[in-house]
Amino acid sequence: MKGKRGDNREMNKRIYLDNAATTRVSEEVLQEMLPYFRECYANPSAIYGFAGEAKKAVGIARERAADLIGVKPNEIYFTAGGSESDNWAVRAVAEGLSDKGRHIITSKIEHHAVLHTCQYLEKQGYEVTYLDVDEEGKISPEALEKAVRPDTVLISLMAANNEIGTIEPIARIGEIAHERGVLFHTDAVQAYGHVPLNMEKMHIDLLSASGHKLNGPKGVGILYCRENVRLRPLIHGGAQERGRRAGTLNVPGIVGFGKAAALAGETMQERSDREAALRDYLIDRVLAEIPYTRLNGSRQERLSNNAHFCFRFIEGESLLILLDQRGICGSSGSACTSGALDPSHVLLAIGLPHEIAHGSLRLTLSAETTKEEIDVTVEALKEIVGRLRDMSPLYEDAMRRGQIEK
Ligand SMILES: *Cc1c(COP(=O)(O)O)cnc(C)c1O
């Protein structure tokens, strides 16, 4: 019991602002999943009556996942997460249509699940165009139009960026794709359940989403694939998912995904309004109270929970460590865990010089985030950024050259 109370105390003082990396499973989702571990644990592909409950639950989850984006349940395939869905969509379309052409269009700011799959395909002889983005991280529909060629078989562009939060003009992108007869895949891992998406209106043929980005469990995702699009399997084996995705279904995970999707749909408007108000409060305070700071991404077309800053003259990594000491979880948005000192590909793509990109911090809110937590975070940031700058040779140098005033 003692250990448990200790855990709770820890939880109470932790301020979790890394919801773009993963979210907490909501209580309602957890409760709905639990019976499928020890009570209804049958393999849903089995014939006996005992499998009926599990099979039914998967059906309901499929309907819920489909409803959120206005499609038919038989257009939803359950996968092991966003990365698998991205790999699958890009490879299946490219390899399935290789007779027609071997050119793919994507952007420089995609998630690595898309970028690295494209790089893999380049090694197999495909050609890939990586579209530039503007300083807000927006993909230009005009640039896309120019990039389409007779041998283009796939356009894969994300619905919203996971680092800087910019929401992309995917309805217009889908229109272009369809005018030119090219299939359109979107990585909607950050958008699904957070912003309204309509496959018909947006002309989306394939879409990836992931459970753990919307208060569902990790290790489960979906690939939506329009009914008349042929989808070759990525995972070979049994006949699950209409012969397209082998492997015994992750029933608790799928049930959790379905519940998370249903809740996300019900609460979307209210939740995003509340998050956006807190997000704007955070952004306004940071920009007003900490000098030499910039906001990255679009101010208007922005995920309701995303704030992404660059603080000049400091290292994002040091900032994260000092925030962590105060129980505040954020992200630098760069893949520096490997020890590589390359700043994020997204920040370089929006034109930031290396030295500014290094001082980045992403804070992503949830429905549970409070104004008090934002206040504590802003106060901590002011102090930490000030302290790091006082120790920074870059800062001292800029001051000596009269580029800044103390
Ligand atoms: C998190 C994320 C992914 C990967 O999803 P997983 O379920 O963690 O594999 C892909 N794309 C974007 C935009 C993401 O944010």
Side-chain angles (χ1 to χ4, degrees):
M1 272 325 276
K2 209 167 151 206
K4 194 151 183 227
R5 281 226 312 279
D7 288 347
N8 282 337
R9 224 168 19 238
E10 264 294 301
M11 300 253 304
N12 284 339
K13 71 169 199 267
R14 183 185 305 127
I15 297 179
Y16 183 78
L17 296 174
D18 200 16
N19 289 281
T22 199
T23 59
R24 185 182 188 190
V25 171
S26 73
E27 184 61 34
E28 287 146 291
V29 167
L30 176 66
Q31 289 309 323
E32 197 137 323
M33 289 171 70
L34 286 177
Y36 298 93
F37 286 102
R38 290 185 52 79
E39 288 149 44
C40 311
Y41 59 87
N43 188 324
S45 306
I47 295 297
Y48 37 78
F50 177 44
E53 274 303 306
K55 198 181 295 179
K56 200 172 124 207
V58 169
I60 292 170
R62 202 183 300 282
E63 275 170 27
R64 288 167 155 177
D67 277 351
L68 189 50
I69 49 174
V71 300
K72 299 181 196 146
N74 68 0
E75 296 175 304
I76 299 290
Y77 299 87
F78 286 109
T79 67
S83 298
E84 182 188 322
S85 300
D86 283 343
N87 274 257
W88 189 11
V90 173
R91 276 189 64 170
V93 172
E95 291 171 358
L97 296 179
S98 63
D99 288 346
K100 188 168 168 254
R102 294 181 147 236
H103 178 238
I104 300 165
I105 300 173
T106 187
S107 80
K108 291 189 175 161
I109 61 161
E110 300 297 312
H111 190 275
H112 284 136
V114 167
L115 285 179
H116 290 170
T117 304
C118 286
Q119 285 164 16
Y120 161 83
L121 287 169
E122 282 180 297
K123 288 198 191 114
Q124 313 299 311
Y126 289 80
E127 265 185 85
V128 182
T129 300
Y130 298 90
L131 294 176
D132 285 316
V133 294
D134 68 12
E135 63 281 358
E136 292 189 342
K138 280 230 194 74
I139 295 156
S140 145
E142 293 71 39
L144 170 65
E145 260 180 317
K146 289 204 190 97
V148 179
R149 314 191 315 208
D151 62 340
T152 307
V153 291
L154 175 68
I155 294 170
S156 178
L157 293 169
M158 69 201 322
N161 184 267
N162 50 301
E163 287 188 36
I164 59 177
T166 300
I167 297 174
E168 300 296 343
I170 50 169
R172 180 69 194 117
I173 288 168
E175 220 167 59
I176 293 167
H178 278 221
E179 280 162 16
R180 308 294 290 270
V182 180
L183 290 176
F184 175 34
H185 163 252
T186 189
D187 174 342
V189 173
Q190 293 289 335
Y192 180 91
H194 297 280
V195 297
L197 295 169
N198 185 293
M199 300 303 97
E200 212 47 59
K201 286 196 195 121
M202 295 175 158
H203 305 283
I204 296 167
D205 300 299
L206 301 106
L207 170 142
S208 307
S210 177
H212 74 103
K213 304 289 175 83
L214 59 147
N215 303 102
K218 295 169 182 53
V220 59
I222 57 162
L223 178 63
Y224 150 75
C225 180
R226 190 185 293 280
E227 212 168 23
N228 56 4
V229 172
R230 278 193 53 208
L231 183 66
R232 31 161 82 190
L234 178 71
I235 310 285
H236 302 275
Q240 291 90 353
E241 297 296 87
R242 303 174 298 289
R244 303 271 174 63
R245 203 281 187 181
T248 302
L249 296 186
N250 167 9
V251 179
I254 289 169
V255 166
F257 187 103
K259 182 66 177 175
L263 288 172
E266 284 162 25
T267 62
M268 192 182 301
Q269 188 63 52
E270 200 186 329
R271 176 168 40 97
S272 59
D273 286 350
R274 185 184 169 278
E275 277 175 1
L278 268 185
R279 170 204 67 188
D280 290 340
Y281 174 69
L282 167 65
I283 291 173
D284 291 342
R285 275 202 69 185
V286 167
L287 294 182
E289 297 175 39
I290 306 179
Y292 309 109
T293 300
R294 56 166 281 150
L295 176 74
N296 298 308
S298 167
R299 190 77 217 229
Q300 309 306 326
E301 267 78 53
R302 184 174 201 99
L303 288 172
S304 60
N305 73 342
N306 176 294
H308 191 292
F309 306 100
C310 278
F311 301 97
R312 282 187 67 189
F313 313 114
I314 64 169
E315 286 286 339
E317 299 295 296
S318 325
L319 188 55
L320 286 183
I321 291 164
L322 295 177
L323 283 171
D324 182 40
Q325 284 177 2
R326 297 170 186 230
I328 300 169
C329 308
S331 154
S332 68
S334 68
C336 273
T337 41
S338 60
L341 275 173
D342 284 343
S344 135
H345 64 288
V346 176
L347 298 183
L348 296 181
I350 62 171
L352 294 187
H354 278 243
E355 71 272 17
I356 292 182
H358 272 305
S360 68
L361 175 71
R362 179 185 72 186
L363 298 174
T364 43
L365 286 53
S366 78
E368 295 180 357
T369 307
T370 64
K371 180 162 178 294
E372 291 66 42
E373 289 179 322
I374 298 295
D375 284 325
V376 171
T377 303
V378 174
E379 292 306 326
L381 268 175
K382 282 161 71 172
E383 242 179 86
I384 294 169
V385 170
R387 183 138 53 95
L388 288 172
R389 282 183 180 161
D390 284 342
M391 302 186 309
S392 160
L394 291 171
Y395 189 62
E396 205 176 303
D397 196 46
M399 232 174 354
R400 201 154 15 87
R401 297 209 229 141
Q403 289 167 337
I404 53 166
E405 322 153 7
K406 184 119 201 193

